[in-house]
Amino acid sequence: MAKYKRILLKLSGESLMGEKQYGIDEKRLAEYAEQIKEIHEQGIQIGIVIGGGNIFRGLSGASKGFDRVKGDQMGMLATVINSLALSSALVATEVKARVLTAVRMEPIGEFYSKWKAIECMENGEVVIMSAGTGNPFFTTDTGSSLRGIEIEADVMLKGTRVDGIYTADPEKDPTATKFDDITYDEVLKRGLKVMDLTATCMCKENNLPIVVFDMDTVGNLKKVISGEEIGTLVHN
């Protein structure tokens, strides 16, 4: 039995690189599409937000002299490229997918609205919501929090390269210990980098729980959906 009826799945752009140094790893993309197909066949309504860090990150662009607004707009376009790639991979597995964009760019994608997204999900389509919030100075973490709240998702599933939230970065600190679950207040108090501050506060205020888990291990998405206690649950 599935634990959730409607989810917001947040994927990182960096994860799409797979073994590569830049861009999109077709093997990783296909693995993601298969995992999403698996839960889609259970009747789960799926909204997806993907980052763009594998192509361009606005903040790092600003540190190299780019105008911050233009840099963030380039980052938004990077998320659209990733969204089109995932949508193509899903359609190849015979899952209906639709790309909605926060910035008008028909015919690449339809302009996002909450009601369009919900209607598509209720009709059995996977909805990929791209271009962040459509505004500079907001990350795709904030974009996914906003979309998760708007589409009335039961949970945000944050697929990352690590298997949950730790007291410190486990890739740098071997003594870091993992939380099975943690409150938003504790995340904020400890200054843990789960998501940026705006995104974390939005989820807290709107009572949207987050599960942070390792999406790169095939089969984990289905385990989270079925209620297996992998990853870390963040809640009020």
Side-chain angles (χ1 to χ4, degrees), residues 127-180:
V127 177
I128 308 169
M129 294 164 279
S130 65
T133 66
N135 301 292
F137 301 99
F138 290 95
T139 64
T140 49
D141 279 344
T142 307
S144 56
S145 303
L146 176 63
R147 298 297 181 236
I149 294 158
E150 279 187 310
I151 66 171
E152 299 166 37
D154 302 322
V155 67
M156 183 202 295
L157 303 181
K158 186 170 164 59
T160 63
R161 291 178 295 182
V162 289
D163 62 346
I165 300 168
Y166 285 76
T167 49
D169 186 343
E171 291 175 357
K172 294 174 184 166
D173 183 352
T175 65
T177 54
K178 182 178 162 228
F179 296 99
D180 290 327

Side-chain angles (χ1 to χ4, degrees), residues 90-146:
L90 284 166
V91 170
T93 68
E94 299 183 346
V95 171
K96 285 184 180 174
R98 186 177 300 239
V99 175
L100 303 180
T101 63
V103 178
R104 285 202 178 276
M105 52 179 83
E106 292 91 350
I108 288 170
E110 293 175 60
F111 190 52
Y112 169 84
S113 78
K114 163 185 172 158
W115 297 279
K116 167 65 77 178
I118 290 175
E119 180 190 350
C120 293
M121 286 189 295
E122 287 178 340
N123 287 338
E125 294 179 58
V126 172
V127 177
I128 308 169
M129 294 164 279
S130 65
T133 66
N135 301 292
F137 301 99
F138 290 95
T139 64
T140 49
D141 279 344
T142 307
S144 56
S145 303
L146 176 63

Side-chain angles (χ1 to χ4, degrees), residues 13-26 52-57 74 78 81-82:
E14 280 93 342
S15 289
L16 281 185
M17 286 193 292
E19 303 299 316
K20 297 186 176 182
Q21 298 299 307
Y22 177 84
I24 298 168
D25 179 356
E26 295 78 7
N54 55 322
I55 298 170
F56 190 87
R57 187 181 285 281
M74 290 167 73
I81 291 171
N82 285 341

Side-chain angles (χ1 to χ4, degrees), residues 6-7 25 34 52 64 103 116 138 147 156 160 166 168-169 184 199 204 218 228 235-236:
R6 179 182 296 160
I7 64 162
D25 179 356
E34 282 298 335
K64 292 170 188 162
V103 178
K116 167 65 77 178
F138 290 95
R147 298 297 181 236
M156 183 202 295
T160 63
Y166 285 76
D169 186 343
Y184 285 112
K204 173 179 157 54
V218 175
E228 280 191 44
H235 56 91
N236 275 326

